[in-house]
Amino acid sequence: MNVNHWMRNGEWMFDSAGQNAPGQALASRGWGRFSLNNPATAAVIVGLLSVPWVFGLASLKSESETSNRVLSDPATVVGIMGFLTVLTVVACARRRYPIAYYLLTLAGSGGLMLFLGSRSLGATPLFWFAIMAVSIRVTGMRLVGLLVLGMAMDVIMAMYTTERDGLTVAEVQVGELPHLFLEPAANTVTSFLVIGAMGKIVARLRKQAVENSQAVADLHRDRERKIANAVVAERQDMARELHDVAAHHMTGMIIQARAADKFFSSNPEQAQALLGGVIEQGQRALNSLRQIVGILRLGEEDPDFPTPMVSDIDELVDDCRRTISSISLEKVGCFDDLDSGVQLTCYRIVQEALSNVLRHAPGSESKVCLSREAGAVRVRVINTLGNSRPASDGQNLGIVGMRERATLMGGQLDAGPNSEGDWAVQALVPVNGRINA
């Protein structure tokens, strides 16, 4: 499938057919401007709702002089649309300048009330929208002061524009002013408190949404980090496994092949026997690698090549007799009830230690000892320094791998010369993940 893409405003636009993608990108950009996240979207919607609000209320009060002027006077209609347009434009800045927006809306709404001579017609949805917007973004005593200021303006406009028995507030008797004040004050306080409470509810819901999104993002990052760490740990495990298998078998094959090369002319039968050992060693290496690859592919061990156990160390030592001049094995205790992970760790430590003997001390005398102690298995591989030239300098990965294996099981491993001048690899592997006293 032919897929073309363009970059616009930091976003990739795809077109599976390879046609009209620029047009689709422009359309996407156009619709994006009127998304709910755009502050102008809600301002325009509320501004449009304010138009039928004013003219609808005016039509319901068609008998009053104000309503007749609103419905029939073109200059009044133009003035109303001007006020609503300015208030709508001001509402677009509510997120960045909430206090200034609120004060400008109070002033604009008060001007519209005076222009129309009616508080109810001038208290448009834009006016109530400003109360909710400032309640969302302002807190504490500053919000209380702004709301009180709005209440005062609303009550004054209500008293000034309300007629009582055909008289305006300026013509009403002083004794009747409290009665004229109580009703609009009660209505205004109730309206401001309800709308302010709604704003606070919206603010809390938004805060919870942001916190939830942040928590989800943190969980996602934590999950990705754990997956990455698990992948790294798995790679390290497989690297150790491959190193132990390949290093042991390949080292034995190289040493036997070199010996066969020396005896090829003088003792063909001995050379043929050594080459047979190379073939057997190579087959074992291939089988071990197949087992590891099978675990990687299927997530489980190949039943044809089970995980090496402590009992398999006997065969491992027998294989090394072809290349190590003198090697002995000693086992003390029962190892059959050990966990497979503990047994595999013991096997790999012995295998890698013998591989190091082949590489660094050919011709030496070696001894392998395994003993079951209280809550742990002690593994020792001791060899003399030997008189032959080392077959390989290596990269010191063998000791590191053995120590990592022991540490993963909760044990410890030391490698180095002992008091008798021999090289010793000594490991203590806990049976239950820790060493019991």
Side-chain angles (χ1 to χ4, degrees):
M1 180 174 61
N2 182 22
V3 179
N4 297 326
H5 51 271
W6 291 262
M7 176 68 81
R8 292 191 179 274
N9 287 346
E11 297 182 357
W12 287 103
M13 302 298 178
F14 295 91
D15 177 28
S16 59
Q19 301 291 334
N20 300 326
Q24 294 175 1
L26 290 174
S28 177
R29 289 175 60 191
W31 281 109
R33 293 175 180 175
F34 294 97
S35 66
L36 293 178
N37 291 329
N38 192 326
T41 302
V44 171
I45 293 175
V46 177
L48 292 176
L49 292 176
S50 298
V51 176
W53 173 278
V54 175
F55 292 99
L57 285 180
S59 63
L60 293 177
K61 301 178 180 181
S62 56
E63 297 180 357
S64 66
E65 179 180 353
T66 301
S67 299
N68 292 333
R69 184 164 60 91
V70 169
L71 297 175
S72 59
D73 186 11
T76 303
V77 173
V78 171
I80 293 172
M81 298 305 298
F83 272 104
L84 296 180
T85 301
V86 171
L87 292 175
T88 301
V89 172
V90 171
C92 296
R94 66 187 182 279
R95 293 182 181 176
R96 181 171 296 184
Y97 309 105
I99 297 178
Y101 153 68
Y102 175 75
L103 295 177
L104 290 175
T105 302
L106 288 183
S109 299
L112 181 60
M113 293 175 187
L114 293 175
F115 176 74
L116 297 178
S118 172
R119 181 264 177 191
S120 58
L121 295 181
T124 63
L126 286 167
F127 176 65
W128 305 115
F129 183 67
I131 301 172
M132 178 177 289
V134 78
S135 299
I136 292 174
R137 292 169 178 83
V138 181
T139 59
M141 295 304 299
R142 183 178 298 181
L143 175 62
V144 173
L146 292 173
L147 293 180
V148 170
L149 178 63
M151 293 178 191
M153 187 279 297
D154 194 20
V155 171
I156 292 173
M157 289 295 104
M159 294 177 59
Y160 189 83
T161 58
T162 299
E163 294 184 358
R164 183 178 179 85
D165 298 330
L167 300 176
T168 64
V169 67
E171 300 171 332
V172 175
Q173 298 287 332
V174 176
E176 297 183 4
L177 285 177
H179 301 285
L180 186 65
F181 170 79
L182 291 177
E183 182 178 353
N187 293 336
T188 297
V189 172
T190 302
S191 300
F192 270 74
L193 291 179
V194 170
I195 296 176
M198 292 174 60
K200 285 303 175 185
I201 293 174
V202 172
R204 181 166 184 174
L205 293 176
R206 287 183 178 179
K207 182 179 179 181
Q208 290 179 347
V210 172
E211 291 176 351
N212 292 338
S213 299
Q214 185 64 38
V216 171
D218 292 341
L219 289 175
H220 180 72
R221 284 192 296 269
D222 184 64
R223 175 176 174 273
E224 293 296 327
R225 185 178 65 256
K226 289 182 178 179
I227 292 176
N229 292 338
V231 171
V232 172
E234 189 66 20
R235 287 178 177 175
Q236 292 175 346
D237 291 342
M238 302 317 300
R240 282 192 298 268
E241 197 74 14
L242 289 171
H243 174 270
D244 293 347
V245 171
H248 175 77
H249 292 295
M250 296 304 172
T251 301
M253 292 170 62
I254 291 173
I255 292 176
Q256 292 185 72
R258 285 177 176 174
D261 183 60
K262 292 180 180 179
F263 290 109
F264 189 77
S265 299
S266 60
N267 193 345
E269 294 181 358
Q270 180 69 20
Q272 186 177 6
L274 290 172
L275 290 176
V278 172
I279 295 174
E280 293 179 5
Q281 196 85 5
Q283 186 62 48
R284 291 191 182 92
L286 181 61
N287 293 341
S288 298
L289 292 176
R290 283 178 176 172
Q291 180 190 24
I292 296 174
V293 172
I295 295 174
L296 289 174
R297 288 182 174 178
L298 304 177
E300 58 184 14
E301 300 173 3
D302 190 339
D304 295 334
F305 306 104
T307 301
M309 300 297 214
V310 172
S311 59
D312 296 315
I313 295 179
D314 299 60
E315 182 180 358
L316 176 66
V317 172
D318 290 339
D319 292 338
C320 292
R321 296 187 191 278
R322 296 189 181 96
T323 52
I324 299 178
S325 58
S326 176
I327 182 172
S328 62
L329 173 63
E330 179 183 350
K331 290 184 179 179
V332 179
C334 179
F335 305 93
D336 295 336
D337 61 335
L338 293 178
D339 182 81
S340 60
V342 175
Q343 298 204 42
L344 176 61
T345 299
C346 296
Y347 180 91
R348 293 302 187 201
I349 290 175
V350 173
Q351 184 184 51
E352 180 58 30
L354 293 178
S355 298
N356 288 339
V357 173
L358 294 174
R359 285 196 299 269
H360 304 294
S364 65
E365 297 180 0
S366 302
K367 183 178 181 180
V368 178
C369 302
L370 288 94
S371 59
R372 180 75 178 268
E373 300 182 1
V377 177
R378 186 177 297 276
V379 180
R380 290 180 296 165
V381 180
I382 304 173
N383 64 276
T384 59
L385 298 181
N387 299 319
S388 303
R389 182 175 60 88
S392 172
D393 292 335
Q395 299 178 348
N396 295 324
L397 296 178
I399 296 177
V400 174
M402 289 188 291
R403 184 172 288 113
E404 287 180 349
R405 283 186 179 276
T407 302
L408 285 175
M409 298 301 297
Q412 57 187 16
L413 182 141
D414 295 318
N418 59 12
S419 59
E420 299 177 358
D422 299 328
W423 185 269
V425 174
Q426 303 184 65
L428 198 61
V429 183
V431 173
N432 299 318
R434 59 177 182 149
I435 302 175
N436 297 321

